[in-house]
Amino acid sequence: MDEKWLRYLEKELEKDYLLYLSIRIKDDRKKYRVYPEEKDVLNVLNNPFDNIKCVILGQDPYHNGVAHGYAFSSSDPTYMPPSLRNIFKEIESDLGIKTKQSSDLLRWVEQGVFLLNTSLTVKEGLALSHVGIGWEIFTNKIIKTLNSEKEHLVFMLWGNKAKTYTKFIDEDKHLILTSAHPASELYGRGGFFDCHHFSKCNSYLKQNGIQEINWE
């Protein structure tokens, strides 16, 4: 964990609900495959606090073995889930560029994109299986810390669940961008394509003297 993250979260890490959560997940790992691997669960907190520019919220990890601690990102760069394919399509349309078709998004993380799932583990083959067991308390604390301790962040909140997190974010300090989830395009509901979040993000960063993100 990044040193500054550790300082902000030190008291939270001592709370009883995280002890319960740890015991629950260890027990589940004895019975099922749980992703990501234990060593990767908190990878997102390796992202240096001072470098973070943009927060993208996901719900829970991929449940097929490619999760590695970052929302929407895969440890297998050739695995291309439909939601990520739609994210790349929107980037290309929005910015007029050709993206690198790799689902390992560490190239974004290294530039200060914080890819946070609100639930940090999942059972194999069972989406949302660890939603509601306590992770959200911890990830809410992470979002509140980003809101209070930083300025001029861009929050990309896709889908109705992600939009509920606007209540934790001060829109006078940060830019909040909301849209339908990328997966909505798969079911004909629309609302994600043409959201222009990536160009809006870079414009906001530039206006505030912050290095833009290379979304390629």
Side-chain angles (χ1 to χ4, degrees), residues 47-182:
N47 199 339
F49 187 87
D50 290 338
N51 292 352
I52 296 170
K53 307 172 186 177
C54 173
V55 180
I56 300 178
L57 283 190
Q59 192 158 358
D60 69 339
Y62 297 130
H63 53 80
N64 60 352
V66 299
H68 62 151
Y70 304 96
F72 295 102
S73 183
S74 165
S75 61
D76 176 359
T78 66
Y79 173 69
M80 190 60 63
S83 289
L84 188 55
R85 187 178 297 116
N86 285 343
I87 291 169
F88 288 160
K89 284 181 181 178
E90 174 59 20
I91 291 171
E92 293 183 353
S93 171
D94 185 18
L95 299 176
I97 60 174
K98 183 67 177 173
T99 59
K100 179 182 179 183
Q101 296 293 300
S102 167
S103 55
D104 182 342
L105 302 180
L106 288 180
R107 61 191 184 278
W108 294 357
V109 172
E110 290 165 359
Q111 297 179 76
V113 181
F114 193 71
L115 300 171
L116 178 66
N117 280 315
T118 53
S119 179
L120 297 183
T121 55
V122 67
K123 295 177 188 176
E124 183 178 42
L126 295 171
L128 310 181
S129 49
H130 281 169
V131 168
I133 67 169
W135 275 128
E136 291 83 357
I137 303 170
F138 183 60
T139 52
N140 286 356
K141 174 64 175 179
I142 290 171
I143 295 166
K144 290 175 183 177
T145 301
L146 287 166
N147 174 66
S148 63
E149 301 299 329
K150 292 188 72 70
E151 292 183 343
H152 308 310
L153 289 177
V154 179
F155 287 85
M156 295 187 187
L157 308 179
W158 301 331
N160 291 333
K161 175 68 174 176
K163 289 175 188 176
T164 65
Y165 288 86
T166 57
K167 64 180 177 286
F168 298 134
I169 304 165
D170 183 348
E171 60 184 349
D172 292 327
K173 290 176 62 180
H174 309 290
L175 177 64
I176 304 172
L177 300 173
T178 63
S179 75
H181 194 277

Side-chain angles (χ1 to χ4, degrees), residues 4-19:
K4 188 167 281 190
W5 270 122
L6 184 59
R7 188 159 72 246
Y8 285 131
L9 297 176
E10 189 171 14
K11 290 183 180 178
E12 195 73 14
L13 292 167
E14 296 173 354
K15 292 186 176 179
D16 287 346
Y17 80 90
L18 277 176
L19 176 60

